[in-house]
Amino acid sequence: AIRVLRSIALMEAAPMSRAVAYLRQGYIAERRGDRQKAVLWGRKALMEDPNCNEATEFLKQICKEQGDKVCVTACKEKLGQQ
């Protein structure tokens, strides 16, 4: 699934947006227990589409589970919420 999503993220005319492809890779990484990669993919999704609420919620969830207040603050600042 990861290979397919990476291919989709590189396509010009893809069946889903790059942000969604990145976010789904983040979900897979989280399920595998790799939170560092999950955060990386979530951030990539937000960089691709800053209005992607699903990516924002995904990152907030991961940060809260880790108890990482700095990460939560960074997510809120990225979105202009305080």
Side-chain angles (χ1 to χ4, degrees), residues 14-31:
M16 67 179 75
S17 72
R18 283 187 179 146
V20 171
Y22 291 148
L23 184 58
R24 288 189 180 174
Q25 290 178 73
Y27 289 143
I28 292 169
E30 182 189 29
R31 286 190 180 143

Side-chain angles (χ1 to χ4, degrees), residues 26-55:
Y27 289 143
I28 292 169
E30 182 189 29
R31 286 190 180 143
R32 290 181 174 171
D34 191 344
R35 297 231 170 147
Q36 188 175 6
K37 278 191 179 180
V39 170
L40 171 80
W41 289 118
R43 286 181 177 166
K44 279 189 163 211
L46 268 183
M47 288 190 317
E48 188 67 36
D49 180 3
N51 298 318
C52 183
N53 292 328
E54 191 175 354

